[in-house]
Amino acid sequence: MKLNFSKNKDCLAIENISKNSTDRSFVKNFNKRYNANLLKPTIKICKKLTLAENAYTYNMVSSADNKIELLSGVKKSEPTVLKLRVQDGYRKFFHFFCKNSEEDFSLNKDWVGQFNDVCNIYIYEMNNHDYSKA
C-alpha cells in the first residue's frame, strides 16, 4: 500500500520514523510527541502496511489487535475514516483512496467493506490518548 501523510508535525514524525527508523533525530522527535513505547509498534505496522498489497491482505497477516477497521460515528457526507490500533489503546486514523485514484476520498455511502480496494491511504492523525486506561 502507499502511505500518504498529512503535513502536520505529528504525522511528519510518523512519516520520518517509518522511512528511517535509525535516524536519532527522527526517534527523538517521535518520542517527544508520542509515548516512547509506541516507537517499535509504529515502525512495525508502517512496514507491514507498505508491504501489503491492500488493506485486505494487511488484515489477513496482522494480529487481531492491529486490524484496519471502520470508524463508527462518521457523517454520511464526510469521507470514510478507518482506524488501526497501534498498541493496546492508541489509534491511528486515516482516510483512504480506492485503487490508485488520489482524486477524492471514498465516501461512507459507498463503503460496504471492500478492504481489497484500499491500497492508498492518507494518515491524518495518530492520537496520543491511551483508550485502554479509559
Side-chain angles (χ1 to χ4, degrees):
M1 277 190 290
K2 181 179 178 190
L3 303 181
N4 305 289
F5 294 86
S6 177
K7 295 302 174 200
N8 63 49
K9 290 179 181 181
D10 293 337
C11 287
L12 188 60
I14 300 168
E15 180 179 17
N16 289 338
I17 208 68
S18 69
K19 290 181 178 176
N20 187 357
S21 59
T22 58
D23 188 318
R24 293 187 65 173
S25 65
F26 291 162
V27 170
K28 186 177 178 181
N29 187 32
F30 183 89
N31 288 340
K32 189 167 52 172
R33 299 183 182 292
Y34 298 105
N35 184 337
N37 295 338
L38 294 178
L39 182 64
K40 286 183 181 179
T42 300
I43 294 168
K44 184 178 175 183
I45 287 172
C46 284
K47 284 182 181 179
K48 277 187 177 180
L49 285 169
T50 352
L51 292 173
E53 184 180 337
N54 55 41
Y56 177 77
T57 57
Y58 171 82
N59 278 348
M60 295 300 288
V61 298
S62 65
S63 68
D65 290 340
N66 299 115
K67 296 220 185 274
I68 297 173
E69 304 167 340
L70 180 66
L71 179 69
S72 59
V74 177
K75 297 177 185 174
K76 291 203 181 276
S77 59
E78 294 180 0
T80 303
V81 177
L82 298 176
K83 67 179 179 181
L84 170 75
R85 285 184 188 271
V86 176
Q87 182 188 42
D88 295 330
Y90 295 95
R91 297 185 184 136
K92 187 184 293 190
F93 298 101
F94 51 88
H95 297 298
F96 66 93
F97 307 97
C98 281
K99 300 295 180 191
N100 287 323
S101 166
E102 292 187 27
E103 297 166 10
D104 203 6
F105 295 124
S106 297
L107 294 177
N108 199 9
K109 62 184 176 191
D110 304 325
W111 179 259
V112 288
Q114 318 90 312
F115 284 105
N116 55 341
D117 286 345
V118 179
C119 54
N120 195 350
I121 61 176
Y122 177 74
I123 299 169
Y124 69 91
E125 177 184 359
M126 182 167 131
N127 67 9
N128 205 3
H129 176 73
D130 187 355
Y131 289 96
S132 65
K133 295 180 181 177

